[in-house]
Amino acid sequence: MGGAMALTLAALAYPGMLGLSKVSSAQDRVIASTQWGPLTEQDRDFVVKVRAAGLWEYPVGQIGLRKGGSKAVVTASRHLVDGHAALDTTCRKIAPMLNITLPDEASPQQQGFVRQLNGESGRRFDTDFANILRMTHGSIFNTVAKIRSTTKNSLVRALADQANDTVLDHISVMEKTGLVDFDQTLFQQTTPPKLPDSDLTPPPPAAGRPEVVLTPPPSATSTPVDIDGIAGGGATGAGAGAGTSPAPPAG
């Protein structure tokens, strides 16, 4: 089992693991000016990554609610479903405002995580669940902080605020399971192997297919960002102004 876990974690550790590989060496390049501030490549990629994360972590949370062998794993699963449903609502709200095309499927790698965990049970499921999710959330945490500290787009900044709270919450509940192998997880987080771009990029949405919606649970405690309130405030930050164009599709 130890060898299998090592291979699992090794497959996870890559900066683009949340669904979008780096599309340019100049991620701070402004691709559009909008009334909410300039939109950079890394801003656009971040919105897509948050959406892609929910497309696999939400179903993994649902699996955990069925298969979790401890109260802590079930609690962590509930947090996944709750948090990603709220993030998804925010993503789907701001994406058309910024003309960003969102995926409706996770990347092949992310879909592989779902298949793996869906095929496991008992202690192995609980252990892999905790370590996979601690790894992915730990890896994206720095990205969230970077976007929050550098973006000039108020809609992206609001999403980053929400994502920061959600990711930190999910890191915490994974650690509370008592199953996280910190040495292995942190090692893999800081020494990522290379993976092909095709494994890391979610496919574009199929034409004519209804948008996938991550439905909040009946007992939801997480709430989406009040985008209407932010949008009503008009332009913010450098580069904002009326009559500007939205971003090109991120497909």
Side-chain angles (χ1 to χ4, degrees), residues 20-243:
L20 194 71
S21 58
K22 204 170 187 179
V23 297
S24 169
S25 60
Q27 286 280 282
D28 59 350
R29 180 176 70 88
V30 175
I31 57 176
S33 294
T34 79
Q35 67 186 92
W36 303 284
L39 188 75
T40 65
E41 285 194 11
Q42 62 187 5
D43 291 337
R44 178 187 60 188
D45 293 356
F46 176 68
V47 177
V48 174
K49 286 180 180 180
V50 173
R51 166 70 167 176
L55 290 173
W56 77 273
E57 291 176 24
Y58 182 96
V60 164
Q62 292 178 314
I63 293 169
L65 290 174
R66 300 195 310 269
K67 292 189 175 185
S70 71
K71 182 178 179 180
V73 170
V74 172
T75 296
S77 301
R78 188 174 297 114
H79 280 236
L80 284 179
V81 172
D82 184 85
H84 280 290
L87 278 174
D88 190 67
T89 298
T90 302
C91 281
R92 290 184 294 102
K93 180 75 172 182
I94 71 173
M97 298 169 73
L98 298 173
N99 203 19
I100 296 174
T101 300
L102 296 178
D104 273 336
E105 294 181 30
S107 72
Q109 184 196 39
Q110 293 168 334
Q111 293 181 45
F113 299 156
V114 179
R115 287 193 300 270
Q116 175 188 341
L117 291 170
N118 197 39
E120 295 179 350
S121 60
R123 178 75 175 184
R124 181 170 183 177
F125 170 82
D126 287 355
T127 301
D128 284 356
F129 171 92
N131 282 276
I132 288 173
L133 273 300
R134 174 58 178 83
M135 165 66 77
T136 54
H137 285 87
S139 295
I140 196 62
F141 201 37
N142 289 336
T143 299
V144 176
K146 180 180 179 181
I147 292 295
R148 179 59 182 85
S149 65
T150 62
T151 185
K152 297 177 182 179
N153 187 284
S154 59
L155 300 184
V156 176
R157 190 158 53 244
L159 177 63
D161 279 339
Q162 183 185 357
N164 182 75
D165 292 342
T166 302
V167 171
L168 180 57
D169 173 67
H170 292 175
I171 286 174
S172 299
V173 293
M174 294 306 155
E175 293 172 350
K176 288 177 182 178
T177 64
L179 298 172
V180 175
D181 182 338
F182 285 96
D183 289 339
Q184 185 70 41
T185 297
L186 297 179
F187 173 77
Q188 298 296 344
Q189 233 174 258
T190 55
T191 56
K194 292 184 177 181
L195 295 174
D197 289 349
S198 58
D199 285 352
L200 304 172
T201 306
R209 189 169 67 180
E211 182 180 52
V212 173
V213 175
L214 305 184
T215 307
S219 57
T221 58
S222 298
T223 55
V225 173
D226 180 12
I227 295 300
D228 291 335
I230 295 172
T236 60

